[in-house]
Amino acid sequence: MKKEGMLVIISGPSGAGKGTVVTELIKTGEFSLSISATTRKPRPGEIDGTHYYFYDKETFETMQKKNQLLEWAEFCGNYYGTPRKYVEKQMAEGKNVILEIEVQGALQIKELYPECVLVFLIPPNLEELGRRLIKRGTEDKQTINRRIHRALEEMEFILQYDYIVINETIQKATEDICAIVKAESMKSSRNTKIKEQFKGEIELC
Amino acid sequence: MKKEGMLVIISGPSGAGKGTVVTELIKTGEFSLSISATTRKPRPGEIDGTHYYFYDKETFETMQKKNQLLEWAEFCGNYYGTPRKYVEKQMAEGKNVILEIEVQGALQIKELYPECVLVFLIPPNLEELGRRLIKRGTEDKQTINRRIHRALEEMEFILQYDYIVINETIQKATEDICAIVKAESMKSSRNTKIKEQFKGEIELC
């Protein structure tokens, strides 16, 4: 019997290196990347279906209504969301899907799929971040306050994530996430059929 | 702040290769092996404090009464148990402790330490085990029935374990268990202080 793939969601503060780590994870060949949908206009060089699925507002709103998005949010007047179909198709085929999204979207998906794996990526210097924000002195007080506020807000959700990965080096963070996925695949809760298979074999004798 | 070590418990049916895998895990240098206490007499070559702690019945029963054993059981008129002191000392020093014990003892310890990690090791041919037990034809019907009964009994508990590791090769099983321990160490539930540390830093500014 084919085992269903895993949905792995990566979040974390800006500067944590999420994009680079996700690129490295895709290179391992063990993950498919979920591509987001958006109503914002493509920037030069951005390709539909590669960087984003570019939809008009009407199409996006129809997808919302038809429950075709795993999560969605609005930023600066544009919609962003995760199309359900691709993710579910990949998982049904036994492929792990990786998704890099904001905390709110991640928690929305965890409600839908409790078995998805939430990874919070933090920079190694997180403990010093507050102090550095103050000491850097290159930004005005308002910007500093906003950053501290934002970082504190994100930290409020960190314990709702399953794992916290400290991005000391890209290679180590990539290996850490691969170890998480490997361990998760051995969880008894993901292998509940083993007992039945074994019993079935004995009954066949 | 020093992080507490992890208690990793390995169980599984006989023939799964538990002993060999535990030996390989110790070789990685990442684990201390917990040594059991017993009231049975040492066999030739067995050293007190290396293979077992050999105690007389009175001493063992005093340890039971004083709650100095994490778990204990009686087999063939002898007591076997896990001394609490060594395990707790190693963990307090940040060392991972590995323990190879029976299902009942493992579940007793999980009650005491919900954060311990239970690993059930199975041979790769588990699905065929029932059929093979019948087909082998070298054992009498009573022995076959007893083995099937025992294997089925053990399988009843498999989903109470955290992880199921299939021992395809010793090297792979060892790597699998190391990945489990690595992933477990990144669980947010084992890193609850990160948020407080971060907040503390910001308040210091």
Side-chain angles (χ1 to χ4, degrees):
Chain A
M1 195 178 304
K2 203 165 200 173
K3 222 170 139 179
E4 198 175 61
M6 219 178 287
L7 179 57
V8 182
I9 298 178
I10 315 276
S11 307
S14 62
K18 297 187 293 293
T20 322
V21 169
V22 167
T23 304
E24 287 304 306
L25 287 169
I26 299 298
K27 279 188 198 162
T28 66
E30 290 179 35
F31 300 91
S32 300
L33 181 64
S34 165
I35 297 158
S36 297
T38 184
T39 57
R40 86 156 161 73
K41 295 276 168 289
R43 292 178 191 142
E46 280 186 343
I47 301 157
D48 184 50
T50 300
H51 299 92
Y52 280 97
Y53 292 110
F54 295 102
Y55 295 129
D56 58 32
K57 208 175 168 185
E58 204 183 350
T59 309
F60 199 99
E61 285 172 350
T62 305
M63 290 177 79
Q64 288 171 339
K65 277 176 209 147
K66 289 193 172 171
N67 197 24
Q68 291 171 350
L69 298 166
L70 287 180
E71 55 81 37
W72 65 272
E74 198 178 346
F75 295 108
C76 310
N78 291 308
Y79 289 130
Y80 294 83
T82 304
R84 179 190 291 272
K85 201 175 161 186
Y86 175 84
V87 172
E88 292 187 344
K89 188 171 172 284
Q90 295 289 311
M91 284 167 66
E93 287 172 8
K95 289 177 196 154
N96 299 323
V97 179
I98 202 152
L99 200 56
E100 183 202 326
I101 49 170
E102 292 289 305
V103 170
Q104 298 296 348
L107 299 178
Q108 278 181 49
I109 294 181
K110 189 75 176 177
E111 289 276 314
L112 280 177
Y113 295 104
E115 69 278 18
C116 80
V117 180
L118 297 190
V119 175
F120 202 90
L121 191 72
I122 56 175
N125 49 2
L126 186 69
E127 290 166 20
E128 284 179 26
L129 183 60
R131 200 186 300 263
R132 278 171 52 234
L133 283 174
I134 300 290
K135 286 198 175 159
R136 196 156 50 182
T138 54
E139 276 143 8
D140 61 45
K141 206 163 179 183
Q142 203 189 350
T143 309
I144 290 168
N145 281 337
R146 205 172 54 227
R147 286 195 181 203
I148 289 177
H149 187 72
R150 176 89 181 126
L152 277 173
E153 260 181 9
E154 284 179 334
M155 290 306 281
E156 279 306 314
F157 296 102
I158 197 168
L159 299 183
Q160 291 185 50
Y161 276 66
D162 300 304
Y163 298 94
I164 301 168
V165 173
I166 301 169
N167 187 7
E168 282 163 15
T169 68
I170 299 295
Q171 196 195 333
K172 194 181 165 296
T174 307
E175 285 169 6
D176 283 351
I177 294 170
C178 287
I180 287 169
V181 170
K182 191 176 181 181
E184 281 282 333
S185 75
M186 293 183 279
K187 271 198 171 168
S188 61
S189 55
R190 295 187 194 271
N191 293 279
T192 51
K193 300 234 166 68
I194 280 189
K195 195 170 113 181
E196 290 155 35
Q197 277 171 2
F198 182 59
K199 283 192 171 174
E201 289 291 332
I202 283 182
E203 277 156 20
L204 277 175
C205 298
Chain B
M1 193 177 305
K2 204 165 197 172
K3 220 169 139 179
E4 198 174 60
M6 218 178 287
L7 180 56
V8 181
I9 298 179
I10 315 275
S11 306
S14 62
K18 298 187 293 293
T20 322
V21 170
V22 167
T23 304
E24 288 304 306
L25 287 169
I26 299 298
K27 279 188 199 163
T28 66
E30 291 179 35
F31 300 92
S32 300
L33 182 64
S34 165
I35 297 157
S36 297
T38 184
T39 58
R40 86 157 161 72
K41 295 277 169 288
R43 292 178 190 142
E46 281 186 342
I47 301 157
D48 184 48
T50 300
H51 298 91
Y52 280 98
Y53 292 109
F54 294 102
Y55 295 129
D56 58 32
K57 208 175 170 185
E58 206 182 350
T59 309
F60 198 99
E61 284 171 350
T62 305
M63 289 177 80
Q64 287 172 340
K65 277 176 208 149
K66 290 193 172 170
N67 196 25
Q68 292 171 348
L69 297 166
L70 287 180
E71 55 81 38
W72 65 272
E74 198 177 347
F75 295 108
C76 310
N78 291 308
Y79 289 129
Y80 294 82
T82 305
R84 177 189 292 272
K85 202 175 160 185
Y86 175 84
V87 172
E88 292 188 344
K89 188 172 172 284
Q90 295 288 313
M91 283 166 68
E93 287 172 7
K95 289 177 195 154
N96 299 323
V97 179
I98 202 152
L99 199 56
E100 182 202 327
I101 50 171
E102 291 290 304
V103 170
Q104 298 295 349
L107 297 178
Q108 278 181 49
I109 293 180
K110 189 75 175 176
E111 289 276 314
L112 280 177
Y113 295 104
E115 69 278 18
C116 80
V117 180
L118 298 189
V119 175
F120 202 90
L121 191 72
I122 55 175
N125 49 3
L126 186 70
E127 289 166 20
E128 285 180 26
L129 182 60
R131 201 187 301 262
R132 280 170 52 233
L133 283 173
I134 300 290
K135 287 198 174 158
R136 196 156 52 182
T138 54
E139 276 143 8
D140 60 46
K141 205 163 182 184
Q142 202 188 350
T143 309
I144 290 168
N145 281 338
R146 205 172 54 229
R147 286 194 182 205
I148 289 176
H149 187 71
R150 175 88 180 127
L152 277 173
E153 259 180 11
E154 284 179 333
M155 291 305 282
E156 279 307 313
F157 295 101
I158 197 167
L159 298 184
Q160 292 185 49
Y161 275 66
D162 300 303
Y163 298 93
I164 302 168
V165 173
I166 302 169
N167 187 8
E168 280 162 15
T169 69
I170 299 296
Q171 197 195 333
K172 193 180 167 297
T174 307
E175 286 169 4
D176 283 352
I177 294 171
C178 286
I180 287 169
V181 171
K182 191 176 181 180
E184 281 281 332
S185 74
M186 293 183 279
K187 272 199 171 166
S188 60
S189 55
R190 294 187 194 272
N191 293 280
T192 52
K193 299 234 166 68
I194 279 189
K195 195 170 112 182
E196 291 156 34
Q197 277 170 5
F198 182 58
K199 284 193 170 175
E201 289 292 331
I202 283 182
E203 277 156 19
L204 277 175
C205 298

